[in-house]
Every structure is written in C-alpha cells, then in structure tokens.
Amino acid sequence: MTDRLDRAFYLRDPVAVARALLGQRLVRVDGGRRLAGVVVETEAYLGRIDKAAHSYRGRTARNASMWREGGHAYVYFIYGMHWCVNVVAGREHDPVAVLIRALEPTEGVDVMRARRPAARNDHDLCSGPGKLCQALGIDKSLDGEDLVRSDRLFFERLRKRAHPAREITVTPRVGVAYAEEWAAEPLRFHLENLHVSRRAGAS
DNA sequence: ACGCGGATGGCCT
DNA sequence: GGCCATCCGCGTA
C-alpha cells in the first residue's frame, strides 16, 4: 500500500525537495487511467534571489501559483507549444519550486506512446519537462492543483528517505544561460538512469 | 555524434 | 516587439 507524499514533505527548502523527489512516483489520473513514472531528474528554483526563477521579477498572473503553500503545482506554457510542471516548495508566500525534468514511465505506457508519436523509443517518452507533460496530459488545467488532496495529480512515496548523495548527480540547470551568476549554480539533480533528459547525458 | 534553426503563442516591457 | 526553465528534424561527419 503506497501512501502519498504529505504536506510536510513539501514544506522544506527547494533543494531538499528536489533531492527527495528523486525516486518517488508521479501519478496523473486521466480519463480513469493511471499514468505514472518515477522521478529521475529535477531542478530547484530559489525564488526572489534566483535570476533563473520565474518568481525573480515578482508575481504576475502566469506565475501566481509559485506563491502558494508547498505541495501545489505550478504549470506554465513555454515556447508557444510546451507545458512544464513544477512542484511548489516551502511556505506560502515563499515562491520557490522544483521543476520536474524527467520520469521513468511505469504505468500507462501505451497511452504515453500514443501521445508522443515523435518518441523513437520508451526512453524518449518522458525524458524532458515538455515531453513528460505531453505524455501525461498535464496542462494549464492543473496549474495550482493541490498535490496533497488532488485526485488528478499527486506523488506516491516509494522511498522513505532521499537517495544518498553518492547516487545523485548534480550539475547546473538547463536553459538558463541568461541568469548570469545563477546560470552555473549546481541546482539540477538526477539519477544515473536512461530516462534523464538528453542534455543530461552529456556528463 | 554533434550543431543549428524553425515551430508557435502567451506574457511582460 | 522580444523573450522564453523546449522539442524535433535535418544537416554535416
């Protein structure tokens, strides 16, 4: 019997949450079906001090979910065609979050394949933040969702404690070259797993 | 195995 | 008007 990650899990700093989410299961219930995968790659965004964070320049209609209490979803639209999903961390009014960058698919893989015709193999189904949202059917309708209470999107606990540090590879975040001194900060975390995003394989 | 550019649209200045 | 926390396919080797 699997239990869901509870509120206390999320009420921590985003680096701790980003590390602890590795190895946990993300579940999307869509059309009565469970679509799920194990988190293998995350990035932490540190809020008002972090030039790479969407919340750096303050609150807008788009990023308002980042100010909610830890355990809510922040879903945004980017490059005119892709959705990306974040897990809000920390306390209410502290706009810090964790971007989910890759999953190892475990349930509903047939549905994911149908939704991701461009994927040449199962390693490409959820190996990027836009890809996993396409595979799981995550879009604006899930922005602001409470992951502790929702029956559409939530995390199930597979591990009681975070992976030991030696099992987690740490690198700079992807796609934030504009963020000056924050671009090189080691805030991307991944397991050595075939399903991590492509730019991950470089190291 | 790279690298590059096009797709495509909402949001902020 | 310009910028994006991206993805994909095509080009060269």
Side-chain angles (χ1 to χ4, degrees):
Chain A
M1 166 111 216
T2 51
D3 63 320
R4 182 182 292 218
L5 299 184
D6 61 13
R7 186 71 66 197
F9 179 93
Y10 303 105
L11 298 183
R12 292 184 280 169
D13 72 87
V15 169
V17 174
R19 288 177 168 276
L21 278 172
L22 295 174
Q24 312 291 2
R25 179 194 287 138
L26 176 61
V27 181
R28 164 78 170 120
V29 178
D30 191 11
R33 287 206 58 180
R34 275 173 60 101
L35 311 176
V38 177
V39 178
V40 297
E41 179 179 348
T42 58
E43 285 177 354
Y45 286 86
L46 309 191
R48 300 307 303 270
I49 60 169
D50 177 2
K51 290 179 179 171
H54 287 174
S55 50
Y56 177 68
R57 295 177 190 284
R59 184 171 178 158
T60 68
R62 180 208 202 198
N63 65 18
S65 294
M66 289 189 76
W67 274 261
R68 302 195 71 167
E69 184 177 43
H72 287 77
Y74 164 47
V75 180
Y76 68 91
F77 187 61
I78 191 70
Y79 296 113
M81 65 188 87
H82 300 294
W83 296 98
C84 295
V85 62
N86 288 254
V87 174
V88 177
R91 296 176 308 180
E92 187 176 12
H93 305 134
D94 184 15
V96 298
V98 176
L99 174 66
I100 307 300
R101 286 197 56 91
L103 305 174
E104 176 173 342
T106 55
E107 296 173 59
V109 177
D110 55 328
V111 173
M112 299 187 200
R113 290 190 189 115
R115 288 177 172 174
R116 296 248 328 116
R120 309 192 76 238
N121 58 60
D122 288 354
H123 297 162
D124 283 330
L125 288 176
C126 295
S127 57
K131 295 177 187 177
L132 71 92
C133 284
Q134 185 179 16
L136 271 60
I138 294 172
D139 63 16
K140 184 74 176 173
S141 74
L142 289 163
D143 183 40
E145 192 81 352
D146 184 352
L147 304 171
V148 176
R149 300 173 174 280
S150 175
D151 56 5
R152 298 191 295 155
L153 190 68
F154 48 89
F155 287 91
E156 288 176 344
R157 186 183 300 277
L158 294 184
R159 311 176 49 83
K160 198 148 191 152
R161 306 188 67 76
H163 277 269
R166 67 174 177 280
E167 295 173 10
I168 300 177
T169 302
V170 185
T171 77
R173 294 170 293 186
V174 173
V176 297
Y178 61 86
E180 302 176 18
E181 74 272 21
W182 286 90
E185 284 296 304
L187 293 171
R188 171 166 166 267
F189 308 93
H190 69 87
L191 303 177
E192 290 304 327
N193 178 288
L194 293 171
H195 300 263
V196 298
S197 67
R198 178 153 292 199
R199 294 166 83 164
S203 72

